[in-house]
Amino acid sequence: MGRWVVRWAPRQSASCRAVAVVTRAVCHLAVRPAATLRQDSARFPHLVRSGSMQFGRYFEEFEVGAIYKHWPGKTVTEYDDHLFCLLTMNHHPLHLDAHFAAETTEFGKNVVVGNYIYSLLLGMSVPDVSGKAIANLEVESLKHLKPTFHGDTIYGETEVLDKTESKSKNDRGIVYVQTRGYKQDGTVVCVFRRKVMVPKQSYGDARGGEQPGRPVPQN
């Protein structure tokens, strides 16, 4: 059995940080042999750059069946829920009126508006899934399976269901993913599937690499 390298360790050296970036991009909380990590580095050399951090993925980096566990989770507060409702003009008393919810509903308290939970999970998935996206093409399905209440903490994970190359442009492709959100006790509250157009590495390289448009500080 070969030597094993763990994804994360405190007080990492520069070389360890590079390994952590690669394993975050390819393994996602997995433990892999050191030899495999060296192979990953050769496959995705743009991930091992001093001082840079991965945000999103190129088409080549997505593997069907991979599951990306988004971190950290988010504890939903009354303020979050009410602000989202007010910003979106959703004034349903189930979400805003504590007395109404306590006296007239089966829940006995306010329920967090479902579109906030969906938006929260979508945002959580951006660094792992669509941070480099050219376009979000479609939300195929969206299911709210269980209610969320103030004080619940939401965690998310996304599975790659399929990927197809573009038929019209050779520098991009479409990734089909499913995101699940669940509470601190593991109860799944929201599931949705979407299709995202993402670039190939050649697209990124032609536009400045990992951080296109980043200015250089002037001395």
Side-chain angles (χ1 to χ4, degrees), residues 60-201:
E60 296 92 333
E61 297 173 66
F62 288 94
E63 297 181 6
V64 175
I67 297 177
Y68 310 133
K69 297 181 182 294
H70 314 310
W71 184 260
K74 171 70 171 73
T75 300
V76 180
T77 67
E78 181 182 51
Y79 175 84
D80 297 332
D81 182 29
H82 287 192
L83 180 60
F84 188 90
C85 287
L86 295 172
L87 287 172
T88 57
M89 296 184 67
N90 183 343
H91 300 154
H92 196 293
L94 177 62
H95 310 307
L96 292 175
D97 187 331
H99 178 73
F100 168 88
E103 297 296 326
T104 69
T105 74
E106 62 184 282
F107 306 107
K109 53 186 174 181
N110 287 137
V111 174
V112 177
V113 63
N115 278 343
Y116 172 68
I117 300 302
Y118 160 70
S119 299
L120 182 62
L121 290 165
L122 183 64
M124 286 181 180
S125 73
V126 169
D128 289 313
V129 177
S130 53
K132 289 183 172 64
I134 298 171
N136 280 300
L137 300 178
E138 175 185 359
V139 177
E140 182 184 84
S141 64
L142 170 61
K143 297 179 181 180
H144 297 287
L145 302 177
K146 296 288 183 179
T148 301
F149 303 103
H150 302 156
D152 282 338
T153 300
I154 300 298
Y155 297 90
E157 62 182 46
T158 297
E159 179 179 2
V160 181
L161 302 178
D162 197 9
K163 57 183 287 189
T164 55
E165 297 198 29
S166 171
K167 296 179 181 178
S168 59
K169 297 184 178 180
N170 62 10
D171 63 352
R172 64 197 66 186
I174 297 172
V175 178
Y176 179 38
V177 297
Q178 175 176 277
T179 299
R180 295 196 307 167
Y182 44 92
K183 299 197 290 188
Q184 64 278 359
D185 61 0
T187 300
V188 178
V189 296
C190 183
V191 178
F192 59 92
R193 293 184 175 189
R194 63 182 177 129
K195 294 180 180 178
V196 185
M197 180 181 290
V198 296
K200 292 184 178 180
Q201 188 174 339

